[in-house]
Amino acid sequence: MSKKWLSVIGLSTVGLIVSACGSSGSKTGEDVPAPKQRDPVELVFYYTSPADWNEDTFMGTFGNYIKEKLPHITPKFLQAGTGTNLPELVTAGQQIDVIFVSTGLTSRMTDVDLQYDITPLLKQMNYNDSHLEPQALAAGREIAKGGLYGLPVYTVPATMYYNKDIFDKFGVAYPKDGQTWDEVYEIAKKINRSDGNSKYLGLRTSLGHFLHLNSFSLDLVSPSTNRSDFSDERWKRVFENIQRFYQFADTPVTKADMNLNKQRDGFFKDQNVGMWLALTNLHVPPELNNQFNWDIATFPVFSGTKEGPQPYPTYFYVTSTSKHKEDALEAIALLTSKEYQMEKSKSGQLLTILKDPEVRAAFGQQEGSVYKGKNVKALLPETYAKPSYYTQYASTVRSELEKALMSVIVGEKDINSALREAQEISNQKIDTAEGK
């Protein structure tokens, strides 16, 4: 099939490269040939989780836009579930053209060897990536060891939501942008209290993401040894920092209390948590819409540093088995255009992957968005930490670190012992996976 390639110039507009020359060199409309009709293709977009997206939300967010701008492409949505996990689909020979997944779960693709370096195709397209957030792009290059398997399309919040009603109830000043962890801890101390039969908690977060996306860019596995090593003193500092928010005397916690959904419900449903550190999903109605009085402040930083957490973008990857790689990449590139990113930013549907301050500032400002009038600039850190080394064992090691942190928080182990045991177990699992 003869293909006309997408040209992205400054990424402010997206269009097809067509010939503009007549046989006589005239510039009249009659002499300009119409672009050739392109052969129709169906592209299967696969999401690696059974949650978050469904066919309707995929089409409303991505598919319909692709179909409108590239009418020869028919997007089809498929996601993980019973009988539709990637290994099962690969075995069955199912067509999959694009896989979209957060960087931390890229191993779901590489485990079945569907990765494909798109670098040559990007050069052929004359794709300019200078508009993308640099650390988010660096995360993709780290994963592909200098290459690139796909393009980032959106990211998740790295921010702190806070319940203004709780702060008002206890007469505590609201969090401010640019605060350090120590300053936020002092705020949490004032919120963390009992009031009648109710207990209020200062701050909660996703422990696993907090560790994985640590602002010191500490590696879960060493690139030089392919081993976990948690002896760096900064790992201890990371543990000590988050541990203190869970260890107020009047609100003891159990491991069950640290379940991510339970912590999330504490802020959005039970509304007994003052501050929620978001490193996962963008929060949308009905969680926020008219539920309570809330706003956002920037993610805390360690004293003496300016970096927030590492980026956690969602990448759209072209698969090695796709028969329509050029079309797939064309569709993905379209989703990184300023036009598309601005549209989704204004509506509050997606947190932009662009570094463009105009697109960032527009987030959620469309009438009817729950984010309209909120401190949306705080959704992204001023400076992301450098992405740490990518490893296929990231989820395994992160799980062991999370267990270790939980054991410290509930008082089962001291930090040094917990880190040492997590390191030993992680390396045992790496050895087993590699047949040693």
Side-chain angles (χ1 to χ4, degrees), residues 30-71:
E30 290 80 8
D31 292 329
V32 178
K36 293 180 180 179
Q37 185 174 357
R38 305 178 68 182
D39 294 338
V41 297
E42 179 182 82
L43 295 182
V44 177
F45 290 75
Y46 180 84
Y47 186 58
T48 64
S49 169
D52 300 330
W53 296 98
N54 57 41
E55 185 173 3
D56 289 340
T57 56
F58 169 82
M59 290 303 298
T61 307
F62 308 110
N64 292 339
Y65 189 87
I66 293 171
K67 184 66 177 174
E68 176 190 351
K69 300 294 183 179
L70 301 171

Side-chain angles (χ1 to χ4, degrees), residues 94-140:
Q94 167 68 48
Q95 172 194 347
I96 299 174
D97 300 287
V98 177
I99 294 173
F100 65 109
V101 63
S102 62
T103 50
L105 297 176
T106 300
S107 59
R108 292 179 179 177
M109 176 184 71
T110 57
D111 282 348
V112 290
D113 201 29
L114 287 181
Q115 68 274 17
Y116 175 79
D117 188 359
I118 63 172
T119 303
L121 293 183
L122 289 173
K123 291 179 179 177
Q124 188 176 335
M125 288 174 65
N126 194 30
Y127 181 85
N128 183 351
D129 62 22
S130 63
H131 65 305
L132 300 175
E133 203 292 316
Q135 295 294 18
L137 189 61

Side-chain angles (χ1 to χ4, degrees), residues 136-150:
L137 189 61
R141 295 199 185 283
E142 176 64 43
I143 288 170
K145 308 308 178 203
L148 207 59
Y149 297 147

Side-chain angles (χ1 to χ4, degrees), residues 301-331:
V301 298
F302 283 98
S303 299
T305 68
K306 62 179 181 179
E307 288 81 14
Q310 298 170 48
Y312 201 57
T314 290
Y315 263 73
F316 279 52
Y317 296 119
V318 177
T319 69
S320 59
T321 56
S322 173
K323 297 178 181 178
H324 309 291
K325 292 182 177 67
E326 296 173 356
D327 295 287
L329 186 52
E330 187 173 358

